[in-house]
Structures are given as C-alpha cells and as structure tokens.
Amino acid sequence: MYSFSWSHLGRRALMLGLVGSALTGLAGCMSSGDERTVGVSQGYAVPGRPTGIAPTGNIMTNNPTYQWTPPAGGADTYRLWVDDGSAPHVIDEVFTEAAAGCVGGVGTCSVTASTTIAGGVGYWWVLGTNGDGDGQWSAGVSFTYAQNLVATLISPTGTIVDSTPTYSWNALVGGSTYRLYVSDPVGGFGYVDQTFTAAAAGCASGMGVCSVTPVTVLNPGAGTWWIQTNGGGGQWSSGMSYNLDNTCPGGCDDGQPCTDDVCDPMVGCVSTSDATNTCDDGNACTTGDQCNARGICLASDYNSCRVTTLGPTGNDVGQSPTFTWQGIAGVTTYRLYAIDGQNLGSLTGGAPAVDTQVTAAAAGCPGGVGTCSFAPPVTFAPGRAAFWVQTPPFVDGEQSGYQHGPWSSQLDFTNGISTRPVGLTPTGVQGTQTPTYTWSPIVGSGTTYMLWVSNAAGTTLYTEEVSENAVGCAGGSGTCSLTPAMAIPTGSNYWWVQANPHVGIYSAQGLWSTGVNFTSP
C-alpha cells in the first residue's frame, strides 16, 4: 500500500511513505514497514562548494578558528571535518549558518570546534547542507600545528675549541624556520639571536640534520644554546650547554709525528711542520724515514722490497700468459709492467702490453704470503716479451715528485711461436764455398730470418738477417733461399736459421732450426 504526504524541511519536498509487504517491485531496497523520505527538488538545489580560508600554514594553537567563504545563497548547516597530525576524523561537527555568522551566504563563516587538535600536519574540509541535500565538500586546506615541534639538539656540547662552532639539530617535519638563541658567558642571553629558514639550515625536506654556522665569535667559558621552531609562539628546545676552552688545558697533539703542536689562547691548538722530526711511514718496504718541510713522512730508501719474478719464462709460453712472483710480507699492491714485440712501452715511448696495479688479494697472496699470480686480459703479440714487477710505496707510475718502489729484474719469455724452420740445403760435401741455403718457412707474414753459420769448433763464420720477401717465401709459402757472397772456409761446418715474426728492438726471436752439417771444399 502506498501513501503520500507533503513536508517542509526548510525547502519544499515530497514525502513518500512506503508501507506494506508488496515492495518487491523496488528490487528489495526496502523491507516491510520501512519509511524513507525522498527529496524531490521543485526549483531548488543543494548548496554550492564552500572555499576554505583558515587555518592554513603554521599555526600556534590547538583550537583554531575555522573560516570559509560560503556558497551563494548559503546553506542551512555546515559540517566541519578535521584530520590532525595524529589521526584522521578527529573533528566532525555541524554548525548552523547562524552560528557560523554567515546567514544567507553573506560574509565569512567562522566557527571554533569543541575538540582540540594534536600537533603536526593536518587538513580540514567543510560541507554545506540544505533541505535539498548535501552540497560538495570544500577543497582540503592543510595546516601545521607547531606547538609540539620541539627540536632535538646535537652539537656543540661539552668542551669545544672552535669559537665559531657549527650548531646542528635534528630536522622536524613542518619546521619552516628555526631561531638560534645563545647565552654567552660574556655577551649574556641573546648574544646570538638569529632566525634561519629550513632551507638555509640545509633541512628544507624536514628530514636529516639542520646546521648553521653564525659568524659571531663566542667568548671562552660556559654557555648554553636553544632552538625555537617556527618563530614566535613556537616551542623552544631544551638548552644544550657547552664550554669553550681554547686555552688547550690538556695540551696539544694532532697525532702527526711530522708536526710541532702548540696552544694558541685565541684559536686553540696550532700545528706546524717540522722537517727535523723522525717518523715511520708504516711501509715495510722503506727505510730511513724522515719528515719533510710539508709535514709528510717520506723514506730515503725505497729498495727494501724487491720482487723476485718467477714466470713466465722460456719459449712458447702462449699468448695469454699468467705472471707469477714471490709475495712480500706487508706489501698490499704491486705494479705489473710487460712488453711484447709490438708494444714496447718506455723503450720506444709508446704503450706497453700491460701496465696495471694488482692488489695482493687479487693476486692470491694476501699479506705477502706465498706466490702471487695474475693473468691480465691481454693477448700478447707473438715473439719475444719481458715483464717487471714494482713494489710500494708508489706503484702508480704517475706521481711526479715522489719516490717509487724498486723494480724487479727483467724476466724474458717468448710466446706464440710453436714451429721452427727446417733446414734443407746445403748438406754433406759441397762443390762450392758459396753454397745456397734453403729452408722451409713458418706460417705467417712479416717474418724475418736469421742465418747463422759456424765451423765445427763453434766459431761464428757468417750471420745475416733477411726478410721473407728477400728469400722468396713471403707469407710462409714456398721455399726460402739465400746465397751469401761470403766464401765459407774449407772443412766441416754447421748452419741454422731462426724465424723472427716481428722486427724491432724487441723483435720476436723464434725457435732455431736444427743444425745442418756440410763440408766446404
């Protein structure tokens, strides 16, 4: 059964009473006996959106006055909702427009809630309501109640020697300004009284540590300092005491053996270099340590730790060699320097094949115990190569004006040459003293060959180095052939040939062929 009635709720509306059990046509929205009031607008509308005015920004009271601009035409009532720094929904109160002082939407609405707020960052909103229903919530307005924003001080504290110290404290979320207030034993309270923005104190985010260094010089003696957050009305920190004692009552010692330390009654300890002092640079590889005019401890002998190199050595060690040397107690860093036939380093003013610093740990000999081993990621050019290892104190090879540690002895090796030429002729009894020497070449291009002829007693009779093109076997193809003009003396003789794949001061000296015997007429 349905019944209808009219009602006035400040605005004209239709009251629809729904009674009885035959309500299934309302999709189960109401149960038997329910009654709902449905506002039906007859030329009226819900209130517009209010605009929040205050509080905003930093506030110094826990019970502020909330102000807003009412919508056109006003509202019957206004609902105030507040979240504070501790929790949401701490205030939810309804005020008539008369209580807010803005009847009919005229003037500024202003109320004071019955509930106080906690400190920190908060937000508030207001909603207008009339007989046609609720309007829109205003935009949220943020505020920071700074009453409980108390800074925690860090330093200076205790005995200090700096008369213009840096003051530091923990930053606060919501802290926009900080007032530094210092009581000085001579200047009294307010001897320093300066306000700094959070940005100027290096803590604009409200996180981390704020710090400032005023130029005011403190007087010796006991003093106290405080920080007030967010200006007048903000909370003061607890005081932190200090004692400026720059008369060095305990003496001066900066812990550096190469300086003389004295006490200046105005600035405290002063250290000056003294080249006559003795010292120990802490390096196991140096002796004769002495202070210099700059207050640095330097040694006069850097040769106490000379590395003994172990390998590689010999012929054909491969083109990716592993370098080994004996570790030295106390040495933590070594310098490895290696050259090959193409990368001759300081011998020609160019780059070496390897020039790198290697820690003892990376070389597998921490503390200088055992054998150090390091395989650089470098492919060496075929042929002859050599390497050295340098020890501290300086192994960078760059610091001009400083002494460097000793280099190891040079250790030579060859790599990448696994074949040797094969001598063909002359062999046996010859019919001429100027025979033609022939041999099979090695594979590859750019090779030179060294011919060596000696008598049976081992005395060298003839040597000549020739290019592969000159002997007709370029690129390692065909048969190499050379006919020297020099006559070989009568008797039993031997000859060999060596392949040298690269030319230069460190050319690749390859393997010698097997000696071939012949008899000169």
Side-chain angles (χ1 to χ4, degrees), residues 1-2 18-33:
M1 179 177 180
Y2 299 87
L18 302 176
V19 196
S21 60
L23 303 175
T24 57
L26 296 179
C29 293
M30 300 180 178
S31 60
S32 176

Side-chain angles (χ1 to χ4, degrees), residues 47-265:
R49 190 177 197 179
T51 301
I53 300 175
T56 184
N58 292 319
I59 63 174
M60 297 301 167
T61 176
N62 63 355
N63 193 15
T65 296
Y66 299 87
Q67 296 179 312
W68 63 91
T69 300
D76 290 345
T77 60
Y78 291 97
R79 181 182 178 187
L80 174 67
W81 180 299
V82 181
D83 297 348
D84 67 12
S86 65
H89 201 189
V90 295
I91 296 176
D92 189 353
E93 293 189 42
V94 176
F95 302 87
T96 66
E97 65 177 358
C102 52
V103 175
V106 178
T108 297
C109 303
S110 179
V111 301
T112 301
S114 61
T115 303
T116 59
I117 57 174
V121 178
Y123 297 86
W124 67 275
W125 300 261
V126 67
L127 168 77
T129 302
N130 62 19
D132 290 338
D134 294 337
Q136 289 183 293
W137 285 100
S138 67
V141 181
S142 66
F143 62 88
T144 300
Y145 173 38
Q147 187 65 23
N148 68 337
L149 295 183
V150 180
T152 299
L153 308 187
I154 300 175
S155 65
T157 184
T159 300
I160 63 173
V161 297
D162 188 353
S163 58
T164 55
T166 295
Y167 301 83
S168 61
W169 61 94
N170 289 327
L172 292 166
V173 175
S176 59
T177 63
Y178 296 96
R179 180 185 178 188
L180 171 64
Y181 192 87
V182 179
S183 172
D184 180 84
V186 176
F189 286 94
Y191 183 64
V192 178
D193 188 356
Q194 291 181 248
T195 298
F196 301 88
T197 65
C203 51
S205 66
M207 307 295 289
V209 174
C210 308
S211 63
V212 296
T213 307
V215 298
T216 304
V217 178
L218 301 180
N219 293 288
T224 307
W225 66 284
W226 300 261
I227 288 291
Q228 182 187 37
T229 305
N230 291 339
Q235 285 287 85
W236 284 98
S237 69
S238 298
M240 178 167 279
S241 299
Y242 66 87
N243 181 41
L244 175 59
D245 187 355
N246 49 14
T247 59
C248 319
C252 292
D253 185 1
D254 65 357
Q256 301 299 320
C258 293
T259 61
D260 293 332
D261 308 315
V262 296
C263 178
D264 185 310

Side-chain angles (χ1 to χ4, degrees), residues 3 57 107 161 167 176 287 289 306 334 371 469:
S3 64
V161 297
Y167 301 83
S176 59
T287 58
D289 301 339
R306 188 180 296 277
Y334 300 88
T371 298
N469 292 327

